[in-house]
Amino acid sequence: MTDTPKPLPPLTIVLAGPRGFCAGVDRAIQIVERALDKFGAPVYVRHEIVHNKFVVDGLRAKGAVFVEELDQVPDEAPVIFSAHGVPKRVPDEAGRRGLTYLDATCPLVSKVHTEAERHHEAGRQIILIGHANHPEVIGTMGQVPDGAMLLVEDLEQAEAVQPADPENLAFVTQTTLSVDETAAIVAVLRRRFPALQGPRKEDICYATTNRQAAVRAMAAGVDAVLVLGAPNSSNSRRLVEVAKGAGCDRSILVQRAADIDWTSLDGVARLGVTAGASAPEVLVEEVIEAARARFAVTLEHATLTEETITFKLPRALSA
Ligand code: 0CM
Ligand code: SF4
């Protein structure tokens, strides 16, 4: 006599939308792929092109070589700067060495660089709201001379920061911060320094804003949230925080399906899933497949907005 297999327990997976790749990530990856076609392997990439191991491993398999600094790039090889942006000294040095380089900095990060330069040229000291040591913060601070920009990471630092001249002050922000936390920091700075110049709200990009809004809307209606993304991905980590802040304590960051401890999801009937801007959709599909092996899965879509934005490739690669 054979045992009848036990029916799988039901699980509803709620997919937040938008999620996953943004226009800047899409463009950055295409730049590496087209450069490999154009120049042949190896093509060097300074820093992970985007903060995702699956993406980086895939490009490495095609012939990309990832390094952290320009002095690891041989003179004859082409090099690409990552989506997060680089300090001015990097293209300057590449130019001095006569390297062939391509800049995959997201246009929305470049926009912040331009704002910073404009404030500096107008004689304003700049406060950068962002997280220390993140490559985007290093890149943005490196648009102006040392000391021209002060870093503020949180509310406490916003209360404590002492600019040279409060009448001649501006702010810019990292693009991947928490929308709510940043609004609170900007409010403190505006209260302390009424002459503060800057964007109307902040410089957080559309992709970060939309993914946070989508996960916030979803979080209250699910028992747990999985965010696909890397531990060094700022925008992905913010999605976990936003989901927790919206009432879903069981919100975790996972790089891919194999990392999920399914026993930690015991008792979960509705599982929310989203992905950071650098996490490809195939990783979401992998999670759904892994869940189907354990549960009778029903899919639900919680789409808040549709995104249509795309960015042009650099002229050298667009033909
Ligand atoms: O800035 P962050 O750490 O979120 O980078 P990412 O590579 O995960 O996402 C895309 C970007 C940018 C800039
Ligand atoms: Fe550009 Fe935003 Fe995507 Fe970063 S997360 S690459 S700033 S669109």
Side-chain angles (χ1 to χ4, degrees), residues 22-42:
C22 60
V25 163
D26 210 52
R27 174 179 179 270
I29 295 170
Q30 273 195 59
I31 289 175
V32 181
E33 285 173 341
R34 297 243 185 149
L36 283 163
D37 287 345
K38 182 171 167 147
F39 302 108

Side-chain angles (χ1 to χ4, degrees), residues 30-60:
Q30 273 195 59
I31 289 175
V32 181
E33 285 173 341
R34 297 243 185 149
L36 283 163
D37 287 345
K38 182 171 167 147
F39 302 108
V43 163
Y44 282 71
V45 184
R46 185 188 175 281
H47 191 68
E48 290 189 340
I49 187 73
V50 299
H51 290 148
N52 189 274
K53 186 174 170 348
F54 183 86
V55 169
V56 167
D57 287 348
L59 293 172
R60 191 180 285 123

Side-chain angles (χ1 to χ4, degrees), residues 2-262:
T2 53
D3 287 342
T4 15
K6 253 177 62 188
L8 295 173
L11 178 71
T12 300
I13 294 186
V14 187
L15 295 167
R19 65 175 176 279
F21 275 13
C22 60
V25 163
D26 210 52
R27 174 179 179 270
I29 295 170
Q30 273 195 59
I31 289 175
V32 181
E33 285 173 341
R34 297 243 185 149
L36 283 163
D37 287 345
K38 182 171 167 147
F39 302 108
V43 163
Y44 282 71
V45 184
R46 185 188 175 281
H47 191 68
E48 290 189 340
I49 187 73
V50 299
H51 290 148
N52 189 274
K53 186 174 170 348
F54 183 86
V55 169
V56 167
D57 287 348
L59 293 172
R60 191 180 285 123
K62 293 180 187 173
V65 177
F66 291 87
V67 295
E68 280 309 311
E69 278 302 342
L70 225 45
D71 57 17
Q72 297 165 272
V73 180
D75 284 340
E76 59 290 350
V79 59
I80 298 168
F81 307 147
S82 83
H84 317 95
V86 289
K88 266 196 195 309
R89 65 171 169 81
V90 174
D92 287 353
E93 172 64 10
R96 250 194 309 275
R97 285 180 53 193
L99 296 179
T100 300
Y101 67 88
L102 289 158
D103 190 357
T105 303
C106 175
L108 300 180
V109 174
S110 300
K111 186 171 149 253
V112 179
H113 291 182
T114 310
E115 274 174 57
E117 261 192 297
R118 190 172 51 82
H119 289 308
H120 180 65
E121 279 162 16
R124 298 180 195 115
Q125 194 175 26
I126 305 162
I127 292 176
L128 169 63
I129 304 172
H131 297 294
N133 303 322
H134 186 281
E136 183 182 327
V137 164
I138 294 169
T140 300
M141 294 200 90
Q143 300 307 305
V144 294
D146 285 353
M149 203 179 273
L150 302 168
L151 183 64
V152 161
E153 294 192 84
D154 53 27
L155 278 173
E156 207 179 312
Q157 292 182 6
E159 290 287 1
V161 66
Q162 294 297 346
D165 175 6
E167 295 305 313
N168 243 330
L169 188 63
F171 82 97
V172 296
T173 77
Q174 194 176 340
T175 56
T176 53
L177 301 176
S178 149
V179 172
D180 293 345
E181 268 180 40
T182 308
I185 293 172
V186 171
V188 167
L189 295 176
R190 287 201 198 281
R191 188 197 78 227
R192 291 190 59 212
F193 312 116
L196 183 72
Q197 306 257 325
R200 196 170 59 84
K201 283 161 81 184
E202 20 63 5
D203 297 304
I204 299 173
C205 73
Y206 80 97
T208 297
T209 306
N210 291 347
R211 279 153 193 67
Q212 286 178 19
V215 82
R216 187 181 301 110
M218 178 182 76
V222 294
D223 305 307
V225 171
L226 294 181
V227 178
L228 273 302
N232 61 340
S233 168
S234 166
N235 80 86
S236 306
R237 288 176 53 181
R238 302 295 83 79
L239 293 177
V240 177
E241 293 168 5
V242 170
K244 286 187 176 168
C248 189
D249 290 341
R250 295 168 83 175
S251 298
I252 52 167
L253 187 69
V254 288
Q255 303 217 52
R256 54 192 305 178
D259 302 335
I260 300 171
D261 170 10
W262 293 95

